[in-house]
Amino acid sequence: MAETMLTRGTPEAHRPHWVLCPGCQAVVYRRRMAGADGVCPQCGRYSALSAPERLALLADPDTLEPLDFELPDSDPLSFVDQRPYLERIAAARDATALREAVLCARMRIGGTPAIVAAMDFRFMGGSLSLAVGEMITLAAETALAERAPLVIVTASGGVRMQEGVVGLLQMVKTAQALQQLNEAAVATVCLVTDPTYGGVAASFALLGDVIVAEPGARLGFAGPRVIQETIRERLPDGFQTAEFLLERGFIDQVWPRSALRDRLGRLLSLATRSRSDAYTEPVKQVAVREPATLEQRPAWDAVRAARDIARPTTSDYLRMILDDFEELCGDRVGGDCPAIIGGLGRLGGDPIIIIGHEKGHTPTELTAHRYGMPAPAGYRKAGRLMRLAAKWGLPVVTLVDTPGAHPGLEAEQQGQASAIAENLRLMSTLPVPVVTVVTGEGCSGGALAIAVADRLLVLENGFYTVISPEGCAAILWRERSAAPEAAQALRIDARSLLEMGVADGVIPEPPGGAGADPVHAASLLREAIRYELAELTTLDPAGLIAARRDRYRHFDGSTDRRAGRAADLVTASFRRNS
């Protein structure tokens, strides 16, 4: 006979040799299914893992140490339905060999110490009870005491009804526990598994710094049956699945089960600022600081070169300049704009947060990425990643290449101006180094929204301006054909930007431009960023913020402003050392 949900708690010696896949109904040899970590080899459907199986899956070999939190039995309402509540708990314990619906442990994941709390749906539907809330909270407090990242694996139908409002209030207790970790800058990751509903979804499951999910995992506050019966409408295909939520910006990534330990380990090593010893090459300055050493040429030439479809995009640069990268998606409000991408990576072995405009090369890619013109969700995603950088103490690097913010009706309805304004305020007060590079075109507030930086560099063929030359020509010259004259008048080219003190340096490009030799261009970009970060990371947060504010408070476009850069560093260093 094949194994079913009813036989999951059976001792190993008495368990059947075959299991029935609930997806394709194939009968699969149990050891084969176990070897695939519960993923059906026939249809790829994910079967639920028990909490012990989940902990074993995530832990590095020989590092798993259970955390046995002592908790008294609780029946706050003396609840009885068809049977007493305490009898139901006893039956769940017999069936699962667990004390409650969550199991906690100390372990290493990819070499990084972590505290993990894994929920088990077999125990009364993984419901949130007084005991479960207390164990999640104790796990968080242990992570706080040890300064170790907290990983929570969710699987729940919601709050346990038999505990009434006592169970309901566990939502607040667990939310407070994660907020304490947030205030203490301790990393938190939530792994959503199928299913995660109700009070768990509406509390700790969606409060992690990073939220990832297994393929097909369902997550929501109300279940689809309740929703459908309430609104009397057919729900969209894939409703509340991980893929559905990723597209709408509520989670960061969907990871296959086979890659969980590796990718989670990489993420945690970045979150804990673990440096790779493999990268010890010296840092050299490649950016040009003196305008006189740059060729003087028509500004319109820079515009045409910056718009060359062959130029590397942000995604191209990420592949070439980073030693590791984990993309993080979504604004956690309801969108994930494809015109801005970002995430965690290593630059020369050091963890950073990197964010940039994305265009693409082909007509299909350009359309998919909205020609690099972000909607409000893109700016809110960028802001979320910057706040994460501030919490984790990681430098921020932004790559600017946009014709401007998206000018559509939908963008205005979603608060385009508000999203840009919030980023300007946020970036002005980030307590970590910020380096911006204009890699192509940088137009209007759409560029500035991710470019409030301690250092601003421009690629030799990049440009930076308040409005596109064509837009300026149409308004002031009343002819778009006057765009070359407008570009010259606006002084948008790299040499002019360096002369005015807008740019701190110009990164040379290979002969023929970055598109002619993307690898060489990426190498120069990488070195230029590393040089700036090496200087900035020696400064304290207060000094960084003070110098950044001074940069914009006193900027007047004069060449004298360039000389103020050294003074800013001296002032910041004095504040740090005094």
Side-chain angles (χ1 to χ4, degrees), residues 156 262 280 317 386 467:
S156 176
D262 177 61
T280 57
Y317 282 127
M386 292 174 197
I467 189 172

Side-chain angles (χ1 to χ4, degrees), residues 27 50 65 174 198 222 255 272 278 293 304 311 342 345 356 358 363 368 374 398 411-412 417 451 481 487 541 543 549:
V27 178
S50 67
E65 178 187 340
T174 53
W255 288 348
T272 54
T293 62
R304 295 168 59 191
R311 286 181 74 82
E358 176 67 13
T398 66
E412 292 299 318
S481 61
R549 284 176 172 167

Side-chain angles (χ1 to χ4, degrees), residues 245-253 327-337 340 377-378 380-382 384-385:
L245 296 166
L246 178 65
E247 184 179 343
R248 285 154 182 80
F250 291 109
I251 64 175
D252 286 287
Q253 280 295 339
E327 183 177 3
L328 303 179
C329 300
D331 65 353
R332 300 277 179 89
V333 178
D336 182 48
C337 175
I340 284 186
R380 292 181 180 125
K381 172 170 65 175
R384 182 175 78 82
L385 295 181

Side-chain angles (χ1 to χ4, degrees), residues 236-292:
D237 293 338
F239 180 67
Q240 293 183 327
T241 62
E243 294 75 13
F244 182 93
L245 296 166
L246 178 65
E247 184 179 343
R248 285 154 182 80
F250 291 109
I251 64 175
D252 286 287
Q253 280 295 339
V254 177
W255 288 348
R257 188 174 287 175
S258 59
L260 279 177
R261 183 192 297 167
D262 177 61
R263 295 185 70 172
L264 186 56
R266 287 162 47 202
L267 179 67
L268 294 180
S269 72
L270 292 165
T272 54
R273 305 193 64 175
S274 172
R275 178 182 171 84
S276 171
D277 294 329
Y279 304 97
T280 57
E281 69 268 27
V283 180
K284 59 184 178 181
Q285 180 176 323
V286 298
V288 176
R289 304 291 191 192
E290 295 301 325

Side-chain angles (χ1 to χ4, degrees), residues 375-457:
Y379 294 118
R380 292 181 180 125
K381 172 170 65 175
R384 182 175 78 82
L385 295 181
M386 292 174 197
R387 285 188 290 272
L388 183 60
K391 174 182 174 179
W392 290 359
L394 302 180
V396 173
V397 174
T398 66
L399 305 181
V400 170
D401 186 15
T402 180
H406 197 280
L409 172 64
E410 186 178 344
E412 292 299 318
Q413 291 174 330
Q414 294 173 356
Q416 185 73 289
S418 174
I420 292 173
E422 288 293 339
N423 272 15
L424 301 185
R425 177 165 62 180
L426 170 65
M427 295 190 76
S428 296
T429 58
L430 285 176
V432 294
V434 183
V435 174
T436 292
V437 183
V438 179
T439 61
E441 52 184 334
C443 290
S444 185
L448 184 61
I450 63 167
V452 181
D454 302 301
R455 298 287 176 272
L456 188 136
L457 307 177

